[in-house]
Amino acid sequence: MLHFIDVILPIPLQKAFTYHITEAESAFLKPGMRVAVPFGKSKIYTALVYTIHQNPPTAYEAKTIHQILDDSPVITGSQLKHWEWISKYYMCSLGEVMRAAMPNAFLIESETTISKNDKVTVDESDLKDEEFLIYEALQRQSSLKINDIVSILDKKRVLPVINSLVKKGVVNLQEELYEKYTPKLVRYVKLHHNHKSQEKLQELLEVLSRAPKQREVVLTLFTMEAALKKPIKVTDLSEKSGASSSIIKALIDKDILEEYHIQTDRVQFEGEGDADAKHLSDAQQKAYNEVEAAFQEKSVALLHGVTSSGKTEIYVQLIQKQLDLGKQILYLLPEIALTTQLVQRLQDYFGEKVAVFHSRYTSNERVEVWQNMLNNSEKAQVIIGARSSLLLPFRNLGLIIVDEEHEQSFKQFDPAPRYHARDAAIVLAHIFQAKTLLGSATPSLETYYNATQGKYGLVELNTRYNNVVMPDIELVDLADKYKRKRMKGHFSDRLIEEMTETLEEGHQIILFQNRRGYSPIIECTTCGTSPQCPNCDVSLTYHQYRDQLRCHYCGYNSLMLKSCQGCGNATLDTKGFGTEQIEQEVRTLFPEKKVARMDLDTTRGKYGFEKIINNFEQREVDILVGTQMLTKGLDFRHVKLVGIMNADNLLNFPDFRAHERSYQLMAQVSGRAGRTDLRGKVLIQTYNPHHNILQQVSTNAYKEMYAEQMDERYNFKYPPVYRLIKITFKHKDYNRVNLAADWYAKSLKQIFKANVLGPEAPPVARIRNLFHKNILVKIPPNQSLGKTKEVILRIDTSFNAVKDFRSVRVIINVDNY
Ligand code: ADP
Ligand code: ZN
């Protein structure tokens, strides 16, 4: 009998691929194990066994697998079930989900190497200069990787040289596999077994009496072993004995000490982790009880608690309860809110049980979290992570908490799978018969709608912890201030007054401006020309710090121009303002105060973000200027004043969710003010002080905002009333993208009629030299989502059969955010 496996490959293939295996392999392999398989011309990929069966593929001859990589499955059955849902719901391949889920180090890939062909004698005069360099390197080294060749030749395009060497018979090409995960080994020492007996030891100490430093090391090792009763690390011994590592090495070389290695996790928790949970206030306790009650009837509940109401402490109690039941908990947060601040807070309670998973972790660190979870280790009971931690191998999940559930960054935008972590979390919980708690001070319309419809339980917490009053929010009319000449730069007199007072009292300030850089537009006052990105349809932003013009879409940059490219006059002026300009104006207004800025430009690097937060927390900074990064659930104790520099560009953003988002953003930034006993103050500068959203923010009227926005969503048929699928077309040729989008839209309209909008060019219609066109498919509440997707897939298949369209990239985004 013939045996086969279907595997998932980490690439966008519509179907699983089939390979031939032996009977023995068939008995050994289980779904979820990794195998290395050949695919395409010569590449080798890591694939996951999906099913094992006896049906040969009909369309092609099955190849054999290259190698089995695991003794037992590295993904679980429930994990696979969840991945399948994601792939189906978000219209992407299982391989793309696999790619997003698995740490890189799990995905062994082949790498091309070249080696010398010993069978021929080479006439060196036959070789061109570059060919000779490689040939020469191969005299010293048995094989070279492509990257080695790139550095030898100091250029990127090395393939022609390699091909020519292959043709001349000088070298051979091979595909080599390499394992990317490297375990971390820690060096330990013990006394060499030669000296273990009492008399040998006596002898040794006598010998060493002439080498007092070495003797000291041996004696220290003794004391440490006796006192700690556990293996001694080389670094600890060196520190305790004051001996340098070369002294210890000398002892090892002389066989007096013996070194050995133990594999350890890269991320180690060091601390107590036994802090008592805080005693909940009456309001918190009531909310906690209501959550518990809601979970009796429903699998999802929304905790709608105003900023600083103490939601985190309620989560802590819920987590503890699950731990007592022996269940795992997933605590999901937007990437940027995953700060040490919060992790520390949870580790204080749950110690080593906490595992953290986010993009700033290295691939090796992620493998360790993965493996701990696979083994249901004590170290992986409370998992705190960003979006992708949903895809981990949970064993015994009891509860998922989605904190800041309204955050749009929970939706993956690019690449596929374009999943929404909140929605995918609910599905994951369902697979485990677990509960999901969504938490927010400003719930998304989707979630609040589901709660009011009775689909989710709803728990409201309207008071801040300690009964701190909500901040006092004041709207400042910019038109009036400019007219009456009450502005200094972009600061109104009211803002300056409040800032002065706050600083005099010794409190801190946050200033929010939703644009980075110095100025988003440069314009010539003579001819009106403004410099544009050569690759994208946007104006370049001026960054004063580097004296550069930069594109925020593709990263293009150039030196700031001295004169206008249009008319040649030196009359370039800035329009609009970003965080950089605000920072500079603050320095001029308050020269003796310390200012810091938090935006994409200042937070690069593994700890960039952390450092700014710490400095601000330690009060080494008085005034923090930043973009929406500032809003993400940070808990600062001493901020009294929050200034929103300009509310209008938020409100005017061309998107049906712009008003909802403006409310969320402003309410969240405002929530950073006055989190302890003193009442916070918020100033919002705007040209439209009568705008409904601003009125609602200033009176903390979430429900009013909700009702009004829902009316609009009903009227204009948008989510959460209708569902949306956005289809984006990209191509470097403008005409082709238009033709393609028109063809697609026409096919869709034949079936979905008026519920198809577009094709339409987005506000930025060209990015990285690719033209964009969008089609929006609106799905009425009574129309089947599954059927709709089937139709789209059918149209997509016919579309791809048209030769001219094959090079057009089509991106399907379900529940577009
Ligand atoms: P939220 O997440 O709702 O914005 P937090 O959980 O961060 O609010 O709580 C706000 C502040 O109040 C935090 O500094 C927290 O330590 C404190 N706090 C909340 N609940 C308690 C409690 N029961 N006892 C003591 N301090 C609390
Ligand atoms: Zn650009």
Side-chain angles (χ1 to χ4, degrees), residues 280-325:
L280 294 187
S281 69
D282 289 348
Q284 281 172 319
Q285 187 62 48
K286 182 162 169 283
Y288 174 88
N289 295 344
E290 286 175 17
V291 170
E292 290 276 27
F295 281 157
Q296 294 294 320
E297 290 167 27
K298 293 177 177 142
S299 44
V300 185
L302 165 65
L303 173 57
H304 176 207
V306 293
T307 52
S308 204
S309 55
K311 294 185 286 297
T312 319
E313 299 304 327
I314 298 178
Y315 302 153
V316 167
Q317 303 281 346
L318 290 162
I319 293 172
Q320 186 59 55
K321 186 170 166 208
Q322 292 295 322
L323 286 176
D324 293 344
L325 292 169

Short mmCIF file of all heavy atoms in Angstrom, two decimals, residues 280-325:
data_model
loop_
_atom_site.label_atom_id
_atom_site.label_comp_id
_atom_site.label_asym_id
_atom_site.label_seq_id
_atom_site.Cartn_x
_atom_site.Cartn_y
_atom_site.Cartn_z
N LEU A 280 -10.15 44.66 46.31
CA LEU A 280 -10.98 45.41 45.36
C LEU A 280 -11.88 46.40 46.11
O LEU A 280 -12.39 46.09 47.19
CB LEU A 280 -11.85 44.46 44.53
CG LEU A 280 -11.15 43.51 43.57
CD1 LEU A 280 -12.17 42.78 42.71
CD2 LEU A 280 -10.16 44.25 42.67
N SER A 281 -12.09 47.55 45.50
CA SER A 281 -13.04 48.50 46.05
C SER A 281 -14.45 47.94 45.86
O SER A 281 -14.65 46.98 45.11
CB SER A 281 -12.92 49.83 45.32
OG SER A 281 -13.41 49.67 44.00
N ASP A 282 -15.42 48.57 46.49
CA ASP A 282 -16.80 48.08 46.35
C ASP A 282 -17.24 48.07 44.89
O ASP A 282 -17.84 47.11 44.41
CB ASP A 282 -17.77 48.94 47.17
CG ASP A 282 -17.56 48.70 48.66
OD1 ASP A 282 -16.84 47.72 48.99
OD2 ASP A 282 -18.09 49.49 49.47
N ALA A 283 -16.91 49.16 44.18
CA ALA A 283 -17.32 49.26 42.78
C ALA A 283 -16.63 48.17 41.95
O ALA A 283 -17.26 47.53 41.11
CB ALA A 283 -16.98 50.63 42.23
N GLN A 284 -15.36 47.95 42.23
CA GLN A 284 -14.63 46.90 41.50
C GLN A 284 -15.21 45.52 41.81
O GLN A 284 -15.39 44.71 40.91
CB GLN A 284 -13.14 46.92 41.89
CG GLN A 284 -12.33 48.01 41.19
CD GLN A 284 -10.92 48.09 41.77
OE1 GLN A 284 -10.73 48.00 42.98
NE2 GLN A 284 -9.94 48.27 40.90
N GLN A 285 -15.49 45.29 43.09
CA GLN A 285 -16.02 44.00 43.49
C GLN A 285 -17.36 43.73 42.80
O GLN A 285 -17.62 42.63 42.32
CB GLN A 285 -16.18 43.94 45.01
CG GLN A 285 -16.57 42.56 45.55
CD GLN A 285 -15.49 41.50 45.24
OE1 GLN A 285 -14.31 41.73 45.47
NE2 GLN A 285 -15.90 40.35 44.71
N LYS A 286 -18.16 44.79 42.72
CA LYS A 286 -19.47 44.65 42.08
C LYS A 286 -19.28 44.29 40.61
O LYS A 286 -19.93 43.38 40.09
CB LYS A 286 -20.23 45.97 42.22
CG LYS A 286 -21.62 45.95 41.64
CD LYS A 286 -22.47 47.11 42.19
CE LYS A 286 -23.77 47.26 41.41
NZ LYS A 286 -23.59 47.94 40.10
N ALA A 287 -18.34 44.99 39.95
CA ALA A 287 -18.08 44.70 38.55
C ALA A 287 -17.58 43.26 38.38
O ALA A 287 -18.00 42.54 37.47
CB ALA A 287 -17.07 45.69 37.99
N TYR A 288 -16.68 42.86 39.29
CA TYR A 288 -16.15 41.49 39.23
C TYR A 288 -17.30 40.47 39.32
O TYR A 288 -17.39 39.54 38.52
CB TYR A 288 -15.16 41.27 40.38
CG TYR A 288 -14.67 39.85 40.49
CD1 TYR A 288 -13.56 39.43 39.78
CD2 TYR A 288 -15.34 38.92 41.29
CE1 TYR A 288 -13.11 38.11 39.86
CE2 TYR A 288 -14.90 37.61 41.39
CZ TYR A 288 -13.79 37.21 40.66
OH TYR A 288 -13.37 35.91 40.75
N ASN A 289 -18.19 40.69 40.27
CA ASN A 289 -19.31 39.76 40.43
C ASN A 289 -20.18 39.73 39.18
O ASN A 289 -20.66 38.67 38.76
CB ASN A 289 -20.18 40.15 41.63
CG ASN A 289 -19.41 40.01 42.94
OD1 ASN A 289 -18.36 39.35 42.98
ND2 ASN A 289 -19.91 40.65 44.00
N GLU A 290 -20.36 40.89 38.58
CA GLU A 290 -21.20 40.94 37.38
C GLU A 290 -20.55 40.20 36.21
O GLU A 290 -21.23 39.57 35.40
CB GLU A 290 -21.51 42.40 37.01
CG GLU A 290 -22.53 43.03 37.95
CD GLU A 290 -22.74 44.51 37.68
OE1 GLU A 290 -22.35 45.00 36.59
OE2 GLU A 290 -23.26 45.19 38.58
N VAL A 291 -19.22 40.31 36.14
CA VAL A 291 -18.52 39.57 35.08
C VAL A 291 -18.75 38.07 35.30
O VAL A 291 -19.11 37.34 34.37
CB VAL A 291 -17.00 39.89 35.08
CG1 VAL A 291 -16.26 38.94 34.15
CG2 VAL A 291 -16.76 41.34 34.66
N GLU A 292 -18.57 37.64 36.54
CA GLU A 292 -18.77 36.22 36.85
C GLU A 292 -20.20 35.78 36.49
O GLU A 292 -20.41 34.71 35.91
CB GLU A 292 -18.54 35.97 38.35
CG GLU A 292 -17.10 36.11 38.79
CD GLU A 292 -16.32 34.83 38.55
OE1 GLU A 292 -16.68 34.06 37.66
OE2 GLU A 292 -15.34 34.61 39.29
N ALA A 293 -21.15 36.63 36.83
CA ALA A 293 -22.55 36.30 36.54
C ALA A 293 -22.77 36.22 35.03
O ALA A 293 -23.44 35.31 34.53
CB ALA A 293 -23.47 37.33 37.18
N ALA A 294 -22.18 37.19 34.30
CA ALA A 294 -22.34 37.20 32.85
C ALA A 294 -21.79 35.90 32.25
O ALA A 294 -22.38 35.33 31.33
CB ALA A 294 -21.64 38.41 32.25
N PHE A 295 -20.67 35.44 32.79
CA PHE A 295 -20.05 34.22 32.27
C PHE A 295 -20.89 32.97 32.54
O PHE A 295 -20.69 31.93 31.93
CB PHE A 295 -18.64 34.03 32.85
CG PHE A 295 -17.60 34.90 32.18
CD1 PHE A 295 -16.43 35.24 32.85
CD2 PHE A 295 -17.79 35.37 30.88
CE1 PHE A 295 -15.46 36.03 32.24
CE2 PHE A 295 -16.83 36.15 30.26
CZ PHE A 295 -15.67 36.49 30.94
N GLN A 296 -21.80 33.06 33.49
CA GLN A 296 -22.70 31.92 33.71
C GLN A 296 -23.57 31.68 32.49
O GLN A 296 -23.93 30.55 32.18
CB GLN A 296 -23.63 32.18 34.91
CG GLN A 296 -22.93 32.27 36.26
CD GLN A 296 -22.30 30.95 36.66
OE1 GLN A 296 -22.88 29.89 36.44
NE2 GLN A 296 -21.09 31.00 37.21
N GLU A 297 -23.90 32.78 31.81
CA GLU A 297 -24.84 32.65 30.69
C GLU A 297 -24.19 32.80 29.33
O GLU A 297 -24.68 32.28 28.34
CB GLU A 297 -25.93 33.72 30.80
CG GLU A 297 -26.87 33.47 31.95
CD GLU A 297 -27.73 34.69 32.22
OE1 GLU A 297 -27.96 35.46 31.26
OE2 GLU A 297 -28.14 34.86 33.38
N LYS A 298 -23.11 33.61 29.28
CA LYS A 298 -22.53 33.94 27.98
C LYS A 298 -21.05 33.64 27.96
O LYS A 298 -20.39 33.67 28.99
CB LYS A 298 -22.78 35.42 27.68
CG LYS A 298 -24.25 35.62 27.49
CD LYS A 298 -24.69 37.01 27.26
CE LYS A 298 -26.19 36.94 27.02
NZ LYS A 298 -26.91 38.05 27.61
N SER A 299 -20.54 33.40 26.78
CA SER A 299 -19.12 33.09 26.74
C SER A 299 -18.26 34.35 26.56
O SER A 299 -17.06 34.29 26.70
CB SER A 299 -18.82 32.06 25.65
OG SER A 299 -19.51 32.39 24.48
N VAL A 300 -18.89 35.48 26.22
CA VAL A 300 -18.13 36.72 26.07
C VAL A 300 -18.77 37.81 26.93
O VAL A 300 -20.00 37.90 26.99
CB VAL A 300 -18.13 37.20 24.60
CG1 VAL A 300 -17.24 38.43 24.43
CG2 VAL A 300 -17.69 36.10 23.66
N ALA A 301 -17.93 38.63 27.58
CA ALA A 301 -18.47 39.77 28.31
C ALA A 301 -17.62 40.99 28.02
O ALA A 301 -16.42 40.87 27.76
CB ALA A 301 -18.49 39.49 29.81
N LEU A 302 -18.27 42.14 28.04
CA LEU A 302 -17.56 43.41 27.88
C LEU A 302 -17.49 44.10 29.23
O LEU A 302 -18.51 44.28 29.88
CB LEU A 302 -18.31 44.30 26.87
CG LEU A 302 -17.90 45.78 26.86
CD1 LEU A 302 -16.46 45.97 26.39
CD2 LEU A 302 -18.83 46.60 25.95
N LEU A 303 -16.28 44.48 29.63
CA LEU A 303 -16.12 45.31 30.82
C LEU A 303 -15.85 46.73 30.33
O LEU A 303 -14.77 47.05 29.86
CB LEU A 303 -14.95 44.81 31.69
CG LEU A 303 -14.58 45.69 32.88
CD1 LEU A 303 -15.75 45.90 33.82
CD2 LEU A 303 -13.40 45.09 33.65
N HIS A 304 -16.89 47.55 30.42
CA HIS A 304 -16.77 48.95 30.00
C HIS A 304 -16.51 49.77 31.24
O HIS A 304 -17.42 50.11 31.99
CB HIS A 304 -18.09 49.38 29.30
CG HIS A 304 -18.10 50.82 28.91
ND1 HIS A 304 -19.24 51.57 28.80
CD2 HIS A 304 -17.08 51.65 28.59
CE1 HIS A 304 -18.95 52.80 28.43
NE2 HIS A 304 -17.64 52.88 28.30
N GLY A 305 -15.22 50.06 31.49
CA GLY A 305 -14.85 50.80 32.69
C GLY A 305 -14.08 52.04 32.31
O GLY A 305 -13.13 51.95 31.54
N VAL A 306 -14.45 53.18 32.85
CA VAL A 306 -13.78 54.43 32.48
C VAL A 306 -12.28 54.34 32.75
O VAL A 306 -11.83 53.44 33.49
CB VAL A 306 -14.38 55.64 33.25
CG1 VAL A 306 -15.81 55.88 32.81
CG2 VAL A 306 -14.27 55.42 34.75
N THR A 307 -11.50 55.24 32.17
CA THR A 307 -10.05 55.19 32.36
C THR A 307 -9.73 55.29 33.85
O THR A 307 -10.36 56.05 34.57
CB THR A 307 -9.34 56.37 31.65
OG1 THR A 307 -9.97 57.58 32.05
CG2 THR A 307 -9.42 56.23 30.14
N SER A 308 -8.78 54.47 34.28
CA SER A 308 -8.33 54.46 35.67
C SER A 308 -9.40 53.97 36.64
O SER A 308 -9.39 54.32 37.81
CB SER A 308 -7.85 55.85 36.08
OG SER A 308 -6.96 55.74 37.14
N SER A 309 -10.30 53.14 36.15
CA SER A 309 -11.31 52.59 37.06
C SER A 309 -10.77 51.35 37.77
O SER A 309 -11.42 50.80 38.65
CB SER A 309 -12.58 52.25 36.29
OG SER A 309 -12.30 51.38 35.22
N GLY A 310 -9.59 50.91 37.37
CA GLY A 310 -9.00 49.75 38.03
C GLY A 310 -9.38 48.44 37.36
O GLY A 310 -9.54 47.42 38.02
N LYS A 311 -9.46 48.46 36.05
CA LYS A 311 -9.82 47.23 35.32
C LYS A 311 -8.75 46.16 35.51
O LYS A 311 -9.06 44.98 35.69
CB LYS A 311 -10.00 47.54 33.82
CG LYS A 311 -11.19 48.45 33.53
CD LYS A 311 -11.43 48.64 32.04
CE LYS A 311 -10.42 49.55 31.35
NZ LYS A 311 -10.42 50.94 31.85
N THR A 312 -7.48 46.59 35.49
CA THR A 312 -6.39 45.62 35.59
C THR A 312 -6.51 44.79 36.87
O THR A 312 -6.26 43.59 36.86
CB THR A 312 -5.04 46.35 35.55
OG1 THR A 312 -5.12 47.38 34.56
CG2 THR A 312 -3.92 45.40 35.19
N GLU A 313 -6.88 45.43 37.97
CA GLU A 313 -6.99 44.68 39.24
C GLU A 313 -8.13 43.67 39.18
O GLU A 313 -8.06 42.61 39.80
CB GLU A 313 -7.19 45.64 40.41
CG GLU A 313 -6.04 46.63 40.62
CD GLU A 313 -4.69 45.95 40.81
OE1 GLU A 313 -4.63 44.85 41.39
OE2 GLU A 313 -3.68 46.53 40.35
N ILE A 314 -9.15 43.99 38.42
CA ILE A 314 -10.24 43.02 38.24
C ILE A 314 -9.74 41.83 37.42
O ILE A 314 -10.01 40.67 37.75
CB ILE A 314 -11.46 43.69 37.57
CG1 ILE A 314 -11.99 44.80 38.47
CG2 ILE A 314 -12.56 42.66 37.27
CD1 ILE A 314 -13.16 45.57 37.90
N TYR A 315 -8.97 42.13 36.38
CA TYR A 315 -8.38 41.04 35.58
C TYR A 315 -7.55 40.13 36.47
O TYR A 315 -7.60 38.90 36.35
CB TYR A 315 -7.45 41.58 34.47
CG TYR A 315 -8.07 42.53 33.49
CD1 TYR A 315 -7.27 43.47 32.83
CD2 TYR A 315 -9.43 42.49 33.18
CE1 TYR A 315 -7.82 44.35 31.90
CE2 TYR A 315 -9.98 43.37 32.26
CZ TYR A 315 -9.17 44.30 31.63
OH TYR A 315 -9.70 45.17 30.73
N VAL A 316 -6.76 40.75 37.37
CA VAL A 316 -5.88 39.96 38.24
C VAL A 316 -6.67 38.93 39.04
O VAL A 316 -6.27 37.77 39.15
CB VAL A 316 -5.08 40.91 39.17
CG1 VAL A 316 -4.40 40.13 40.30
CG2 VAL A 316 -4.03 41.68 38.36
N GLN A 317 -7.82 39.36 39.56
CA GLN A 317 -8.65 38.42 40.34
C GLN A 317 -9.18 37.29 39.44
O GLN A 317 -9.22 36.13 39.85
CB GLN A 317 -9.85 39.17 40.94
CG GLN A 317 -9.48 40.33 41.82
CD GLN A 317 -9.05 39.88 43.20
OE1 GLN A 317 -9.28 38.74 43.59
NE2 GLN A 317 -8.41 40.77 43.95
N LEU A 318 -9.58 37.66 38.24
CA LEU A 318 -10.11 36.65 37.33
C LEU A 318 -9.03 35.65 36.93
O LEU A 318 -9.26 34.45 36.80
CB LEU A 318 -10.70 37.31 36.08
CG LEU A 318 -11.99 38.10 36.30
CD1 LEU A 318 -12.26 39.06 35.16
CD2 LEU A 318 -13.17 37.13 36.48
N ILE A 319 -7.82 36.16 36.74
CA ILE A 319 -6.69 35.30 36.38
C ILE A 319 -6.41 34.32 37.52
O ILE A 319 -6.25 33.12 37.31
CB ILE A 319 -5.43 36.16 36.07
CG1 ILE A 319 -5.65 36.97 34.80
CG2 ILE A 319 -4.20 35.28 35.95
CD1 ILE A 319 -4.57 38.00 34.50
N GLN A 320 -6.37 34.87 38.74
CA GLN A 320 -6.08 34.02 39.89
C GLN A 320 -7.08 32.87 39.98
O GLN A 320 -6.72 31.72 40.23
CB GLN A 320 -6.12 34.86 41.19
CG GLN A 320 -5.70 34.08 42.42
CD GLN A 320 -4.27 33.53 42.30
OE1 GLN A 320 -3.33 34.27 42.04
NE2 GLN A 320 -4.10 32.21 42.43
N LYS A 321 -8.32 33.18 39.73
CA LYS A 321 -9.36 32.15 39.82
C LYS A 321 -9.11 31.03 38.81
O LYS A 321 -9.23 29.85 39.13
CB LYS A 321 -10.72 32.78 39.59
CG LYS A 321 -11.80 31.77 39.83
CD LYS A 321 -13.18 32.33 39.86
CE LYS A 321 -14.14 31.14 39.76
NZ LYS A 321 -15.40 31.50 39.15
N GLN A 322 -8.72 31.41 37.59
CA GLN A 322 -8.45 30.40 36.56
C GLN A 322 -7.22 29.56 36.93
O GLN A 322 -7.22 28.36 36.73
CB GLN A 322 -8.21 31.07 35.20
CG GLN A 322 -9.45 31.72 34.62
CD GLN A 322 -10.54 30.71 34.29
OE1 GLN A 322 -10.26 29.60 33.83
NE2 GLN A 322 -11.78 31.07 34.56
N LEU A 323 -6.21 30.22 37.49
CA LEU A 323 -5.01 29.48 37.90
C LEU A 323 -5.37 28.44 38.95
O LEU A 323 -4.89 27.31 38.91
CB LEU A 323 -3.94 30.44 38.45
CG LEU A 323 -3.21 31.31 37.42
CD1 LEU A 323 -2.27 32.28 38.12
CD2 LEU A 323 -2.42 30.43 36.45
N ASP A 324 -6.24 28.84 39.87
CA ASP A 324 -6.65 27.90 40.91
C ASP A 324 -7.37 26.70 40.30
O ASP A 324 -7.34 25.60 40.85
CB ASP A 324 -7.58 28.60 41.92
CG ASP A 324 -6.82 29.65 42.72
OD1 ASP A 324 -5.56 29.62 42.71
OD2 ASP A 324 -7.47 30.52 43.33
N LEU A 325 -8.01 26.92 39.16
CA LEU A 325 -8.70 25.81 38.49
C LEU A 325 -7.74 25.02 37.59
O LEU A 325 -8.15 24.09 36.89
CB LEU A 325 -9.83 26.35 37.61
CG LEU A 325 -11.03 26.99 38.33
CD1 LEU A 325 -11.94 27.70 37.35
CD2 LEU A 325 -11.80 25.91 39.08
#
